[in-house]
Amino acid sequence: MKKAASLPAVLLIATAALALPLSGNAGQAPGAAAATPFVRTITQVRGDVYKVQSGPGIGAVTAFLVTSEGIVLLDPINNEFAAWLKAELATRFPGKPVRFVVQTHYHWDHARGGGVFAATAKFIGHASMPGKFTAKIRDARPPGDTNDIDGDDRLDRQEAQTGTRVQFDTMDANHDGFLTQSEMLADVRSPEITFADRYTITLGGKRVELIHAGGRHTSDLVDVYFPGERVLFAQDYVWPKRLCCNFAFDRMPMSTWINSLKNLERLDFDTFIGSHWEGGSRADFIAVRQYLEDLEAAVAAGIRAGQTLEDMKKSIRLEKHKDWIGYDQLPGFIESAYTSLTQYPAR
Ligand SMILES: [Zn+2]
């Protein structure tokens, strides 16, 4: 029997708890609510690929593929979520344990909780991921705008920003009022299988392609392609019809972002899953890349013309994207692009 066929398209689990936005991004996302009703959903995307949402809005999204020999799971998100998901999978797909967990990057809002699947799964990630566990916070920063400003390699409440501040007490295991890298990554599994550019998981006659598309957002970022279903899981932050990104594009050259999306466009997919917000079609994906190119071009032209940042905030309109979510925050994204272009130019 094909188990997928018996699954309801959407499984809703609602509790009285509140879901707080777990991730800052090059992202406190436009439209992110401070607190929204907690909902977990498993949704069939196509064939045996499902997406799982840990909460509405910016709550993290992960995905899995069901095969005859077990399940390939992407990010485990956190311990509580992983325990819930493990029970759901056991009920829905009995006798099909999670055989692989793909750690798409080291950020705590995606990577925690893998231990729940350690008895049956192998863990895979990019070759630069293991080094994040011992890196200084300044060199492997949490998501969002958090930074170790005073250089003591721990975060106080003022240094912790966005989602890291929201989750401060949850992650401060010894309650000393500081977060260390090891506290933030406490239940993140270091991958036992690593790769540099591409890695193919084969299980039950199906393939899952792991792709390092240039390291936008974090140097170890992995996107995941399901060729049999023509579905792409695009990690942080590919948001259809939603303006992005804050924090000087995670202090990276904008070209790193644009080139990574161009690399992914070479894949034969027609739908994609996003890691925080809704996914979309191939056309939506391409429109995100075009928006980034439009923003980069407009700001670069302003710099060449000798405009000040304030001039650009007033004059750059990107009318093509005026219907996108977050358009009212365009001046902030212009500033982010300006900082990326002037302080983090393409190498
Ligand atoms: Zn991230």
Side-chain angles (χ1 to χ4, degrees):
M1 188 182 80
K2 196 162 184 289
K3 295 288 193 310
S6 63
L7 244 197
V10 178
L11 176 79
L12 287 174
I13 306 290
T15 76
L18 291 179
L20 294 167
L22 289 179
S23 173
N25 118 298
Q28 210 56 334
T36 40
F38 191 99
V39 178
R40 287 177 178 146
T41 61
I42 297 177
T43 309
Q44 189 174 20
V45 176
R46 179 174 298 147
D48 297 315
V49 173
Y50 296 80
K51 75 171 180 178
V52 195
Q53 194 153 346
S54 70
I58 199 148
V61 175
T62 186
F64 62 88
L65 171 74
V66 183
T67 82
S68 60
E69 292 177 15
I71 290 171
V72 179
L73 173 67
L74 311 191
D75 297 312
I77 312 288
N78 60 55
N79 271 324
E80 187 188 21
F81 174 88
W84 168 81
L85 181 59
K86 185 180 182 184
E88 286 297 319
L89 294 175
T91 302
R92 303 285 162 180
F93 308 102
K96 295 188 176 180
V98 172
R99 295 287 188 202
F100 294 95
V101 174
V102 179
Q103 305 271 39
T104 64
H105 63 307
Y106 71 94
H107 277 163
W108 58 260
D109 59 330
H110 299 275
R112 297 183 79 154
V116 167
F117 302 102
T120 59
K122 284 190 162 55
F123 289 73
I124 310 179
H126 186 256
S128 66
M129 185 189 178
K132 308 294 186 186
F133 293 86
T134 52
K136 292 198 177 307
I137 292 173
R138 281 183 170 184
D139 298 326
R141 288 162 65 157
D145 205 24
T146 294
N147 195 13
D148 171 29
I149 294 163
D150 61 12
D152 65 354
D153 202 29
R154 57 185 191 170
L155 302 172
D156 61 33
R157 278 176 204 279
Q158 293 309 309
E159 291 169 320
Q161 300 289 318
T162 49
T164 303
R165 183 181 285 181
V166 172
Q167 296 292 323
F168 196 100
D169 290 322
T170 304
M171 293 194 284
D172 181 17
N174 65 1
H175 308 294
D176 67 348
F178 294 97
L179 288 182
T180 61
Q181 188 76 310
S182 60
E183 281 179 321
M184 288 185 280
L185 303 182
D187 49 11
V188 178
R189 302 278 301 195
S190 188
E192 53 208 297
I193 301 170
T194 62
F195 67 99
D197 298 319
R198 274 179 98 130
Y199 186 90
T200 302
I201 300 171
T202 305
L203 185 68
K206 297 187 174 183
R207 281 186 303 136
V208 181
E209 306 267 353
L210 315 187
I211 298 150
H212 184 254
R216 71 179 185 280
H217 177 59
T218 64
S219 62
D220 64 339
L221 197 75
V222 174
D223 299 289
V224 183
Y225 175 47
F226 302 96
E229 293 75 13
R230 304 179 71 221
V231 171
L232 174 68
F233 180 88
Q235 245 305 342
D236 296 346
Y237 295 98
V238 185
W239 293 341
K241 300 183 178 70
R242 189 183 290 269
L243 267 59
C244 189
C245 296
N246 286 318
F247 315 135
F249 288 83
D250 291 318
R251 301 156 292 279
M252 281 187 186
M254 282 194 78
S255 58
T256 300
W257 288 69
I258 292 164
N259 290 336
S260 79
L261 300 192
K262 282 182 173 170
N263 286 337
L264 295 172
E265 283 171 31
R266 296 196 187 105
L267 301 168
D268 181 22
F269 70 93
D270 55 27
T271 189
F272 75 96
I273 304 167
S275 61
H276 287 290
W277 297 98
E278 59 284 346
S281 67
R282 180 180 187 82
D284 290 327
F285 187 95
I286 290 168
V288 172
R289 187 257 301 162
Q290 290 171 334
Y291 153 71
L292 293 177
E293 289 178 330
D294 290 350
L295 177 62
E296 181 190 47
V299 174
I303 292 170
R304 279 197 304 274
Q307 283 190 311
T308 66
L309 174 58
E310 290 312 308
D311 289 340
M312 285 185 248
K313 285 182 176 179
K314 289 185 189 122
S315 62
I316 294 173
R317 306 270 29 114
L318 301 189
E319 292 283 338
K320 206 163 79 184
H321 308 282
K322 68 178 177 358
D323 295 330
W324 286 24
I325 297 167
Y327 184 76
D328 58 333
Q329 296 167 46
L330 178 60
F333 299 121
I334 291 168
E335 179 163 351
S336 195
Y338 176 85
T339 308
S340 172
L341 288 169
T342 54
Q343 295 185 26
Y344 306 96
R347 288 178 290 271

